[in-house]
Amino acid sequence: RNKSLKGGVVTTGRALHVMAQEGIANCKKALSFVKQFLDKNGNLPSGTSEADLYDFVLDSMYDLEQKNKQKKKASNAVAIDLDGLDDDASVASTVVSASTDPDDNNNI
């Protein structure tokens, strides 16, 4: 028994539920990649092995995770930019028009 966990709550029920939901979603995504790899009868394509299937699923899941991280990073950058703007509409329109002016190379 680990003494550092003695008497304390390791995790909450809500956190456990969220992690379980994420696990279920990831299993469904992996299953969809398996279905993409298999032929219409559910068999491995000719010349492929189970190792090829596992590699395809792992690569596809990794690629999907990287795309999601990029989307999240981009949406966070937009949110940070919007937080820095003044509530005055004229200031916001000035910022937008300055950034879209093709003659001004300093705003790129």
Side-chain angles (χ1 to χ4, degrees), residues 25-43:
N26 285 329
C27 287
K28 288 179 179 181
K29 289 175 194 173
L31 184 59
S32 73
F33 290 128
V34 168
K35 289 179 180 178
Q36 286 178 17
F37 188 83
L38 300 177
D39 64 15
K40 62 184 175 184
N41 296 325
N43 300 320

Side-chain angles (χ1 to χ4, degrees), residues 49-68:
S49 65
E50 285 184 13
D52 296 328
L53 171 64
Y54 300 144
D55 288 341
F56 176 78
V57 172
L58 288 173
D59 291 342
S60 299
M61 292 292 288
Y62 179 79
D63 292 344
L64 181 64
E65 184 66 25
Q66 295 306 309
K67 287 178 187 176
N68 288 339

Side-chain angles (χ1 to χ4, degrees), residues 84-97:
L85 292 178
D86 191 3
D87 287 338
D88 187 7
S90 64
V91 173
S93 65
T94 303
V95 170
V96 171
S97 65

